[in-house]
Each structure stands twice: as C-alpha cells, then as structure tokens.
Amino acid sequence: MSTLVSATPRALAPARTLSDVVHNCDQDDPLPSGDPRWQDLSEGRGDAAAETLVQDLLARKPEQIIHAAFVSHRGAGKSTELRRIAGLVGEAYHPLYLEATVEMDPIRIESEDLLLNIALAVEKEMRRIGKSLPAELLGRVEKWFADAIRSTKWAQGYDANVAAGIEGKFEIPFLGSMFAQAKALMKHESEYRTEVKQVLKKFPGTLIQNVNDFLEAAQQRLDGRALLLVIDNLDRYDPSVIDELCVIGADRIRSLRCNLILTPPISLLLQPRSAQLDASYACYDMFTVRLRRRDQRYDEFDGKGRDLLEQVLAKRIDLDVVMPDKEVRDRLIAASGGGIRELLDLVSWTARFARLGGERIAEQDVEKAIARRKQRLRDQINVNGWWEALGHIAETKEVGDDEKSLAVLFHRLAFKYNGEGWYDVHPLVDELMRERRR
C-alpha cells in the first residue's frame, strides 16, 4: 500500500550508458506524479480518458460519490496515468493507492480480501499523516472480528487474549491486532484462509459497514478533501475473477462510501460476462498508441504515434549517445505495437545484449531482443492454441466473440486502437505468422 503524492520527484538524467538504459527503462516502475519523464500520449492514443476522469473528479458535487473503472490494455501505461491523475486532483482529494497483486493474493481475490485491505490501508494512512482513527472504532472492529472467527482453527492458535476480544481499553496497536494479522493469512492459499473466509461470508453487511465506518471516520479528518481510493493491477487477474468481484459483486463495491477508481481487465468492457461493466461504473477507456493506419504494414508509420514514442525514449535515454541510428529506433518502436510496456521491455533487453559487445545499441542487438520476445510469443501461442484467433484479428481488424480472442487481448498479443476503434495483432505476432506461411 502506498499513497500517491504530487510532489515533483527528483529528475532522472537520460541514460548515457547501456547499464543506465536498463535501469531507466524498467517496465515495472510506473512514473510518479510530476515525473519529468512523463509524456502526453493522448494524441497518439486518440482518446482523452485521463483528462476526462480528472475533469469529472474536479467537477464532483459534495454529495456525489464517483466509482470509476479506468480501463486499458495491460502495458498501455495505465499505472503511470493513475499516479498523474492523483497528482492533478491533489488539492481536492487525498489519494490512497493499493496494488492489488502486491497487497493481496496475486491469483485470486474476493470481496473479503478487498474490504479487509481497504480498512487496513485507511487505518495505516491516517496514522501516517498524524490523524489516527478513533481508538473506540478500532477496538470495536477488532472485537467484532475476533468474536466472529473465534471458532476457527486459526483463531484458536492465535494469542488467547486477542482471540477472546479485549474488554475495556483498546491497548494494542491496531496493526498488531488479529484483524490486521488476517491480511497475511488471506494472501496465501491454506486451510486456515478458507475457514476464515467462510466465516466472513456469513457477515457481508457487517464487514462492509465496518469498512464504511473507517472510511467515514477518515473523511472527517481530511480537512475538506475527499478520500480517493485507487485499486490498481486488477487487470492482471483472470477476467472471471474480477467479473465476480466487480460486476457480480458490484452492489458490494458500490456500497463503499468513498470515491473509487478500479482497473478491471479490458475484456470485461469489450465482452461482458455476467453484466455490462459500464452499468455499474463510469468507464474511461484508454487505448494503445496508434503508429499506423489499419491498411498499412507493421513497419510503416502514420500520425504522431511514432514521434511521441521516440519522445518517451528521449526522456529516459540520451538517444544521440546510446541509440543514434534512426533505423534502430524505428525498428524498436514499430515492434512495440504502440504498447509502452512492450517498448520499454524491448529497449531494456536490447541494451543488455549491446553491453556484451559495445557502447551503443546496434541493429544486431535489436534483432536479438526481438528474437527473444518472438520465441516467447511463439511458445505461448502454440501452447494455448491461439493461432486461429490471432489470424482472424489480423485479417478482419476486429476481435472475435470467443474466449481465445479475449485471451490474446488479455496477454497483449493484440491491441485495440482508437480512431475507428480497430484491432490488430502485435507486430511480432504478425512476423511469426508470416514465418509460418513460408
């Protein structure tokens, strides 16, 4: 759990060595709000998703609560944009950021996991800013939780004094309480976790009410700013998991009394499973950067996308020193398909290969990195039987109505581009398909 701060970070000098390229192009390091490396890609994406969400947050009426879904392909730069959004609305909101796959089970989560983590994150944040939640509230929630799970094997193995509930004064730090310790239990599959969850499922209303009591108590201490909760990385879960959590369980999520931004998989917006995602949440969909027209080859460029991605690299790398050849830059940018995560990963691996034989990135280094990525894509497609679905997308520029089409979108083997709203396969997938036809 972490807050999203709007203070301007220390500028990171553009890389002039290959080792610094690897560091500066870390695909798993989203930019904090105000980072000078941020590049406005909205013209290349063809949407104004982030700007529209900022405007809607700032225009919110005092009695209104916003529950939003910020949706994009994985690797499109969503986490960076969320941090920037939080910085832009910082005068009106106190943002609180949770990475779902870090704070919770990275494979499967349910509403009990999310609600528990929200309560703990709010308590910890309020204590961090010197405005702790009332001891009476913390004690009441801890006692309810201890009483509810008293009969479980996990509780019986816990400290007897805590498991029995504390009468009178609340004497232990809340993060040392049984309620807080349940967070670690919920993160990993076990007999104890299953048993505790089954008990909590019997009290859904009480659990939500306790979380809302935390949220309201926190809100009263924020000096007029509204709490904004951002739940990132939900798009890394299997869509069926998030459909159950956020769509089937939408009533529970929407009953939370705070402003909330979720990040569900894009497939839940494109092909709803149980119900329409946008029937429960205001949806803001951010597209992949478009590099070309739908009728052009994968190594051709059209529009501003190519130059925008070169600017992304220029803010991280001294291109004249490390990557002076335009053909090298064009090859990397085209091979990314417009995905930021794809581009940074390719550049990082290219620099690793270049370190073995020189001080600059050359064409052979790029091809080694691309060959590495293609090998992994080929194996992934073969194992899952995705060639037919990808072939349909490449030919029609539309996504099919089957599970495999949604799977290739989830795994970033195909992208959706704005403008006419067309789809296409990853450029390296196109290269693989051409090689198969030879």
Side-chain angles (χ1 to χ4, degrees):
M1 185 274 295
S2 63
T3 54
L4 288 164
V5 295
S6 57
T8 302
R10 178 178 61 85
L12 190 65
R16 296 177 62 86
T17 69
L18 295 172
S19 292
D20 284 343
V21 170
V22 175
H23 174 71
N24 285 12
C25 293
D26 183 357
Q27 62 171 333
D28 294 318
D29 185 21
L31 302 180
S33 178
D35 194 295
R37 291 170 292 172
W38 178 78
Q39 174 66 43
D40 184 2
L41 299 174
S42 56
E43 286 190 87
R45 290 182 172 128
D47 64 65
E51 290 74 10
T52 303
L53 179 51
V54 168
Q55 291 172 2
D56 288 347
L57 286 169
L58 295 177
R60 182 186 63 88
K61 297 180 179 179
E63 68 278 7
Q64 180 187 8
I65 293 179
I66 292 179
H67 289 148
F70 194 67
V71 184
S72 77
H73 292 282
R74 293 165 61 207
K78 184 164 55 268
S79 295
T80 289
E81 289 300 321
L82 286 171
R83 286 163 168 78
R84 176 174 168 269
I85 289 168
L88 292 174
V89 302
E91 291 188 7
Y93 292 88
H94 184 96
L96 185 57
Y97 178 80
L98 279 78
E99 291 181 277
T101 52
V102 174
E103 301 294 334
M104 295 167 255
D105 186 329
I107 304 300
R108 181 172 182 83
I109 58 172
E110 298 178 286
S111 60
E112 291 76 22
D113 303 288
L114 184 60
L115 293 171
L116 175 69
N117 274 271
I118 289 173
L120 292 171
V122 169
E123 190 279 331
K124 183 177 181 180
E125 174 64 6
M126 297 308 294
R127 189 157 34 81
R128 184 190 71 83
I129 65 175
K131 299 182 178 182
S132 298
L133 299 182
E136 180 278 328
L137 171 60
L138 300 179
R140 173 166 55 80
V141 171
E142 167 65 12
K143 187 176 186 306
W144 165 80
F145 182 76
D147 287 344
I149 66 168
R150 186 192 304 271
S151 63
T152 66
K153 294 178 181 178
W154 180 69
Q156 291 170 4
Y158 196 79
D159 183 306
N161 292 326
V162 178
I166 295 176
E167 302 297 335
K169 292 191 302 180
F170 185 68
E171 297 174 342
I172 63 173
F174 189 68
L175 284 184
S177 70
M178 174 179 278
F179 186 77
Q181 295 305 310
K183 175 178 177 176
L185 173 70
M186 296 293 198
K187 194 169 182 178
H188 304 287
E189 185 67 47
S190 70
E191 175 190 356
Y192 294 151
R193 182 176 81 167
T194 301
E195 188 181 19
V196 170
K197 274 195 176 184
Q198 288 303 316
V199 171
L200 292 179
K201 289 179 186 294
K202 297 178 182 179
F203 305 99
T206 308
L207 181 56
I208 291 174
Q209 183 58 53
N210 285 330
V211 175
N212 276 329
D213 288 346
F214 274 40
L215 293 170
E216 291 180 343
Q219 187 64 70
Q220 293 171 5
R221 287 161 168 73
L222 290 177
D223 301 325
R225 289 201 297 169
L227 184 64
L228 176 61
L229 189 61
V230 181
I231 313 295
D232 201 2
N233 291 357
L234 292 177
D235 59 341
R236 299 188 185 185
Y237 292 91
D238 187 279
S240 63
V241 171
I242 304 305
D243 180 66
E244 185 174 345
L245 175 69
C246 296
V247 183
I248 296 175
D251 288 346
R252 301 187 73 184
I253 302 300
R254 286 177 53 79
S255 67
L256 292 172
R257 293 196 285 272
C258 77
N259 299 285
L260 179 67
I261 301 176
L262 304 172
T263 55
I266 193 171
S267 62
L268 295 186
L269 180 63
L270 302 178
Q271 188 182 63
R273 292 172 178 254
S274 58
Q276 294 279 350
L277 183 68
D278 53 9
S280 299
Y281 308 97
C283 290
Y284 303 80
D285 41 329
M286 185 179 75
F287 297 97
T288 307
V289 174
R290 183 181 70 82
L291 299 175
R292 60 185 178 84
R293 298 190 309 271
R294 60 185 293 171
D295 60 341
Q296 287 182 300
R297 298 193 316 268
Y298 291 89
D299 58 352
E300 295 182 305
F301 296 112
D302 177 77
K304 297 184 177 181
R306 183 263 174 213
D307 291 342
L308 288 172
L309 290 190
E310 185 177 58
Q311 290 174 38
V312 167
L313 295 180
K315 290 184 176 182
R316 296 169 181 261
I317 304 169
D318 189 328
L319 295 175
D320 291 335
V321 171
V322 183
M323 198 188 301
D325 295 337
K326 180 178 181 299
E327 292 77 10
V328 166
R329 303 177 197 176
D330 286 349
R331 175 64 166 141
L332 285 166
I333 291 171
S336 75
I340 298 300
R341 176 176 285 266
E342 291 292 314
L343 178 60
L344 294 179
D345 184 55
L346 283 173
V347 171
S348 179
W349 276 100
T350 296
R352 287 183 172 94
F353 288 122
R355 282 189 308 194
L356 301 176
E359 298 179 354
R360 294 181 176 182
I361 291 175
E363 181 181 355
Q364 63 266 26
D365 305 313
V366 175
E367 295 307 323
K368 287 178 182 178
I370 287 176
R372 172 187 176 274
R373 180 69 172 131
K374 284 169 64 176
Q375 180 181 350
R376 294 197 172 193
L377 291 173
R378 182 191 300 112
D379 291 345
Q380 190 177 23
I381 298 168
N382 284 336
V383 168
N384 291 282
W386 288 339
W387 289 114
E388 183 176 353
L390 290 165
H392 172 81
I393 295 172
E395 180 179 355
T396 66
K397 310 306 181 191
E398 296 179 358
V399 67
D401 60 357
D402 58 295
E403 289 292 327
K404 291 184 177 181
S405 292
L406 295 178
V408 299
L409 289 172
F410 178 76
H411 290 283
R412 306 201 316 267
L413 276 71
F415 302 111
K416 182 178 182 180
Y417 300 99
N418 204 357
E420 299 175 2
W422 51 281
Y423 298 81
D424 215 336
V425 299
H426 192 300
L428 301 185
V429 171
D430 177 70
E431 291 186 16
L432 289 171
M433 290 193 294
R434 293 176 184 277
E435 291 169 7
R436 281 168 57 89
R437 291 195 291 265
R438 291 174 185 168

